Amino acid sequence: MRRVAGIVVLVLLVATIGAVLAGSFIDRGEVGPAHDGITVFAAASLTDVVEQVVDEIHADLPWADITVAYGGSSDLAAQILEGAPATIFLSADEAQGDAVADGLGLDEPAAFATNTLTIVVPEGNPAAVDGLADLERGDVTSVICAPQVPCGAATAELASLEGLTLSPASDEQSVTDVLSKVAAGQADAGVVYVTDVARASGVEEVPIAGAERVVNTYVAVAIPGDHDPSLAARFWDDLVGAPGRAILADAGFGLP
Amino acid sequence: MSGLDARVAIASRGVDVRLGVATGRTLVLLGPNGSGKSTLLEGIAGILPGAVGEVRLDGAALGEARTRGVGLLSQDDALFPTMSVLGNVAFGPRARGAARLEADAVARRWLDRVGLAGLEDRRPGALSGGQARRVAIARALAADPRVLLLDEPFAGLDVPAASGVRALVAELLRERTAIIATHEVLDAYAFADDVAVMDAGRVVEHGTASEVLSRPRTPFAARMAARVLLTGEMRGGTLALGGGIRLPVTGGPGAGEVAAVAVRPAQVVVGGAADPRLTWVDDAVVTVEPRGDELRVTGRVAAADVDVSRAGELVVGGPVRFGLPHGLDAYPLTAPEPRAPGDGNPDETPAS
Amino acid sequence: MTGPRWLAPLAVLGGLLVLLPLVGLASRVPWEDFWSLVASDASLTALGLSLRTAAVATALVVALGVPLGFALHRLRGPVRGLVRAVVLAPLVLPPVVGGLALLYAFGRRGLLGEQLGGAIAFSTVAVVIAQTFVAMPFMVVSVESALDARSGRHEAMAATLGASRTRTLLAVTLPALGPALATGAVLAFARALGEFGATLTFAGSLAGVTRTAPLEIYLARETDPAAAAALSLVLVAVAIAVVALAYRPLRGSR
């Protein structure tokens, strides 16, 4: 009986440890020491652009191993600083790019795209919103990003430049939350980035005059590590170089 | 008719009964455990889901339980555990619209009558079995029921508590319309104006107490009445029991008719010397069971109570001679089915 | 009952899985600033809103969940299993799904229409609705199982004593359900207090109006992880206290 019990414990422990180790390998995308792919951490707003770049690389190099993780810039930065194995970090926020570069002792991040704010309204613009000033109207239910997150900081800055005091119905956590509330018709208007509207459905854009006064800059950070250096260089060139500029412009991004 | 007239049928429990009790009388419903007594009482009280039939009181059909005015003292007391004793007893008056103070006053009066003054603030969980039964009685009566149903009111109590509750019930039931369900024939002798005998969901006998207890018509009813039924044919002042045995009896129908006597085992002798004042029957012992300081010897034909000292003589399957007394009251046994007084058409289909 | 010895190491593993995250959370709290972080305007506003909305949601859960438990108890056969599964769905629904469902029911373009939906949108009412939605199953299950355990005998006796159904419910059944009601209410309160996903999706996030403590933690995480950790710890403490409280009366009554 004793012996059976001992075996049961042993098997369970081995299984547990095995699962833990296997899990850590899978999480890190490390199959072995000679990893020949790259891992890109990209701000969610870059999804379409990065997909296109990856597709073009795959047209040349069908077997190229490119893993992409999308998320909020601050989440991604935090993960990289905690040791996540990113090859390239594409941040929607200069501050987060700087945080990673400083934290890992790397070169200055490279700016490769800009974005400006715009108003998003449900299809048909039911509240007849015409500009940022309309968001002050009592009959307009508006949602913006909370000042604690980058899109909210930019919105606050633009509003103060315009001399406006916005009174949103909700300070949302992210651009996605703003978009979904507008798309669902819960809110009459929201403030997001130009490129976000291009990606969204069920919404229309109402441009903000003078929006270019508050520019959000996208930066890229190359992180040395255990990966395929030529593939990393190829991706970097394709996004930050000429081919990438065309794709970024198509997606509505500005170029620095 | 003045009084209660109930027809209760519930197929899932195999109960189908018609029963009546006249105003002011006490009916003892006698039957073994599992014969359907509790089910019948719940049906009369109107708390038996799925039951069909009709309950009439003084000719008027009764509706849902809360408007019936039929009180039920259940075997498990079913006191409300979240209320004090006073709250339990005051529940009925409150439910009938009395103000709190008035209801409490009624409850105190009843608690006093059942001998529990001073226990008003106790919780039911802190009562002895006898006290809880008394509270349940007080609660049922405080609601001022027109008919009171008591389900095994003395079961589960120790001897002193049971005799106390017996005395209380005897006093409280005077002039009340009531049905007491019990498996003890003692309760029938003590309380009954009328007796109904129940077996396997049916009432097999129903009549006045003296009729049913001393002149049972079926072996089952005789057993419930603590008697042994001897049946035979009348032959000139004697009852011919078969096997050539003729028992001299008194009364009885004319010669040639089927008749019976119901003899108490205590009157039967196990012999012994041939006493000419008795009629002797040779029988075989079926069971021997101790009853206090006596033994009840049951044979195929008769039964007798004998002193425990004679246990050695009596072997199950062995021979026994029963000495039956002469001059027992014989009565005709003609009706094929027992008929309850005032019984209507027994084939009537249940109203759904 | 004592199980075989090999259960012990697994129990330790299980315990660690629960305990370590809590220790990890506590390790990130800057204890010297703990009170100033928890007592900051933003934290206090969010905590106050959470407590208020959770209290109202709990009241609603009692008012609606108890009748629902009774209704479920009355049902028989396969219908009961189906209805129970539907009623309990919010318990197992991913929070975002719950939020979307609420949006399509009570939103401005939801089933209730522009007028009512517009009034609810981004209001504290929306928070309470979301919390009630996710917390009600606790009460329903609690009441249903407590009713199933009852024989109905006391209710039948009450009827023979002349009590109406209402009086029987109020004076006999509900007092007897006391422990179950308390458990259901406390768990519902805890669940309402922790509600995040449906609120975020459905109610929005505005300080003092819809930004409850979990939303405040989520937002503070962006800029002030220390404050997020401190406020998280407060919620953990409340959750543990509430659960400890909820299970005591139940065990005592057995």
Side-chain angles (χ1 to χ4, degrees):
Chain A
M1 208 42 219
R2 265 260 155 108
R3 179 172 287 183
V4 175
I7 292 170
V8 168
V9 173
L10 200 66
V11 167
L12 286 170
L13 280 180
V14 168
T16 311
I17 292 165
V20 168
L21 293 179
S24 67
F25 280 129
I26 291 164
D27 281 347
R28 288 160 184 266
E30 286 170 349
V31 186
H35 178 52
D36 57 356
I38 58 169
T39 304
V40 176
F41 274 32
S45 51
L46 290 169
T47 306
D48 293 353
V49 171
V50 171
E51 296 290 314
Q52 260 181 283
V53 171
V54 170
D55 283 350
E56 288 189 6
I57 294 175
H58 276 154
D60 281 356
L61 309 165
W63 310 111
D65 178 4
I66 306 174
T67 308
V68 188
Y70 298 104
S73 297
S74 54
D75 283 342
L76 295 174
Q79 288 168 21
I80 293 168
L81 290 171
E82 300 273 347
T87 312
I88 294 172
F89 173 38
L90 304 174
S91 171
D93 180 15
E94 275 177 296
Q96 299 299 339
D98 288 342
V100 167
D102 289 350
L104 300 180
L106 305 174
D107 295 342
E108 278 282 285
F112 65 94
T114 60
N115 211 345
T116 50
L117 294 171
T118 188
I119 294 169
V120 63
V121 296
E123 258 172 4
N125 194 359
V129 172
D130 200 26
L132 204 53
D134 283 338
L135 268 55
E136 278 190 326
R137 270 165 43 198
D139 63 330
V140 174
T141 305
S142 64
V143 289
I144 60 176
C145 290
Q148 290 92 327
V149 295
C151 60
T155 306
E157 190 183 343
L158 187 61
S160 75
L161 283 177
E162 294 277 321
L164 298 173
T165 313
L166 301 182
S167 52
S170 178
D171 288 335
E172 297 291 336
Q173 316 279 153
S174 69
V175 167
T176 316
D177 289 327
V178 172
L179 271 178
S180 68
K181 297 244 164 33
V182 174
Q186 279 292 89
D188 297 318
V191 177
V192 296
Y193 287 111
V194 173
T195 55
D196 298 320
V197 184
R199 291 193 299 130
S201 64
V203 293
E204 291 174 11
E205 183 183 353
V206 176
I208 301 172
E212 67 284 350
R213 282 175 295 169
V214 177
V215 175
N216 179 54
T217 305
Y218 283 67
V219 296
V221 185
I223 302 154
D226 198 14
H227 50 73
D228 179 345
S230 66
L231 186 57
R234 169 73 193 267
F235 186 94
W236 182 275
D237 290 345
D238 275 14
L239 184 77
V240 180
R245 293 176 77 86
I247 296 170
L248 286 163
D250 272 356
F253 287 96
L255 301 171
Chain B
M1 144 181 170
S2 161
L4 181 82
D5 181 18
R7 164 74 208 283
V8 174
I10 179 158
S12 63
R13 305 219 198 151
V15 170
D16 187 348
V17 167
R18 175 134 196 203
L19 197 64
V21 54
T23 304
R25 288 176 78 85
T26 297
L27 170 77
V28 167
L29 185 62
L30 201 54
N33 291 328
S35 58
K37 302 189 299 289
S38 298
T39 304
L40 172 58
L41 294 194
E42 286 171 11
I44 296 172
I47 57 169
L48 188 64
V52 294
E54 192 181 46
V55 180
R56 290 179 167 272
L57 191 52
D58 297 339
L62 298 181
E64 55 173 339
R66 70 186 209 85
T67 61
R68 284 194 176 185
V70 175
L72 175 63
L73 177 71
S74 76
Q75 254 185 92
D76 57 0
D77 299 328
L79 297 178
F80 304 128
T82 54
M83 294 177 205
S84 66
V85 162
L86 187 71
N88 267 279
V89 181
F91 186 88
R94 287 281 285 156
R96 276 151 200 278
R100 158 146 274 143
L101 285 177
E102 193 186 327
D104 284 356
V106 171
R108 279 177 211 285
R109 267 204 306 282
W110 276 106
L111 282 172
D112 194 35
R113 276 197 73 180
V114 301
L116 290 182
L119 296 188
E120 287 85 354
D121 296 331
R122 287 259 183 106
R123 293 273 148 179
L127 297 175
S128 72
Q131 289 169 337
R133 191 64 45 86
R134 285 166 188 267
V135 173
I137 292 170
R139 181 178 69 173
L141 290 174
D144 196 20
R146 296 158 72 192
V147 176
L148 183 63
L149 312 176
L150 302 94
D151 191 0
E152 296 280 8
F154 317 114
L157 300 180
D158 57 37
V159 173
S163 34
V165 173
R166 264 176 219 282
L168 178 66
V169 166
E171 179 205 327
L172 293 175
L173 288 193
R174 221 165 282 144
E175 307 301 314
R176 263 180 199 282
T177 311
I179 300 178
I180 302 177
T182 179
H183 63 281
E184 293 268 15
V185 70
L186 163 67
D187 297 332
Y189 284 109
F191 300 109
D193 297 312
D194 298 313
V195 171
V197 178
M198 207 166 164
D199 179 27
R202 300 287 189 279
V203 165
V204 292
E205 300 217 11
H206 185 188
T208 62
S210 60
E211 217 170 76
V212 175
L213 295 176
S214 57
R215 292 184 157 200
R217 293 166 181 281
T218 60
F220 181 84
R223 200 158 63 241
M224 288 315 299
R227 285 169 185 251
V228 176
L229 192 69
L230 301 171
T231 54
E233 205 172 277
M234 287 304 291
R235 294 251 176 86
T238 66
L239 187 66
L241 295 175
I245 298 162
R246 295 172 68 140
L247 178 66
V249 295
T250 49
E257 295 209 36
V258 177
V261 292
V263 62
R264 290 204 307 274
Q267 296 173 285
V268 179
V269 172
V270 170
D275 185 334
R277 287 169 297 171
L278 302 173
T279 294
W280 293 93
V281 176
D282 284 310
D283 205 344
V285 178
V286 176
T287 59
V288 179
E289 49 175 324
R291 296 168 79 92
D293 54 0
E294 291 199 317
L295 290 175
R296 165 77 48 89
V297 187
T298 307
R300 279 192 286 265
V301 178
D305 287 343
V306 299
D307 193 82
V308 278
S309 61
R310 300 182 62 187
E313 302 168 27
L314 302 159
V315 182
V316 172
V320 63
R321 288 196 92 196
F322 288 117
L324 304 172
H326 295 169
L328 292 166
D329 169 45
Y331 51 94
L333 208 60
T334 45
E337 274 293 304
R339 298 285 303 267
D343 198 355
N345 177 7
D347 298 327
E348 120 194 273
T349 46
S352 50
Chain C
M1 195 183 82
T2 319
R5 281 179 197 195
W6 55 265
L7 285 181
L10 294 177
V12 169
L13 272 182
L16 284 178
L17 186 65
V18 177
L19 198 62
L20 274 183
L22 297 183
V23 173
L25 189 64
S27 75
R28 289 300 174 95
V29 175
W31 291 102
E32 62 277 15
D33 302 332
F34 181 78
W35 286 116
S36 64
L37 287 173
V38 169
S40 74
D41 273 355
S43 293
L44 285 184
T45 306
L47 265 179
L49 179 69
S50 267
L51 291 174
R52 280 200 313 277
T53 51
V56 176
T58 305
L60 275 176
V61 160
V62 173
L64 306 176
V66 172
L68 210 47
F70 271 87
L72 205 51
H73 170 72
R74 287 290 298 174
L75 290 176
R76 289 285 169 269
V79 183
R80 184 177 185 180
L82 190 72
V83 172
R84 185 195 288 116
V86 171
V87 170
L88 301 194
L91 208 58
V92 290
L93 223 51
V96 179
V97 176
L100 280 181
L102 288 169
L103 194 60
Y104 298 143
F106 304 110
R108 280 175 78 178
R109 296 201 180 155
L111 300 175
L112 289 192
E114 174 83 35
Q115 244 359 66
L116 203 49
I120 294 171
F122 303 112
S123 69
T124 306
V125 174
V127 177
V128 171
I129 290 177
Q131 290 176 343
T132 307
F133 176 75
V134 297
M136 192 143 66
F138 286 103
M139 184 57 87
V140 178
V141 187
S142 198
V143 168
E144 190 206 2
S145 54
L147 284 175
D148 284 350
R150 288 182 67 74
S151 62
R153 190 116 196 106
H154 289 125
E155 286 76 5
M157 289 310 295
T160 67
L161 294 169
S164 66
R165 282 172 184 238
T166 302
R167 175 175 291 274
T168 304
L169 173 74
L170 297 179
V172 177
T173 312
L174 286 185
L177 292 185
L181 292 180
T183 303
V186 171
L187 288 178
F189 180 78
R191 180 69 184 85
L193 208 57
E195 171 21 60
F196 170 69
T199 307
L200 188 67
T201 315
F202 172 54
S205 169
L206 189 66
V209 181
T210 54
R211 188 178 298 153
T212 54
L215 269 68
E216 173 64 29
I217 291 169
Y218 191 61
L219 190 61
R221 204 182 50 115
E222 297 270 349
T223 51
D224 193 355
L231 195 52
S232 297
L233 210 61
V234 172
L235 285 196
V236 168
V238 172
I240 289 177
V242 149
V243 173
L245 209 80
Y247 281 113
R248 200 174 310 155
L250 236 183
R251 209 181 287 150
S253 73
R254 290 281 149 90

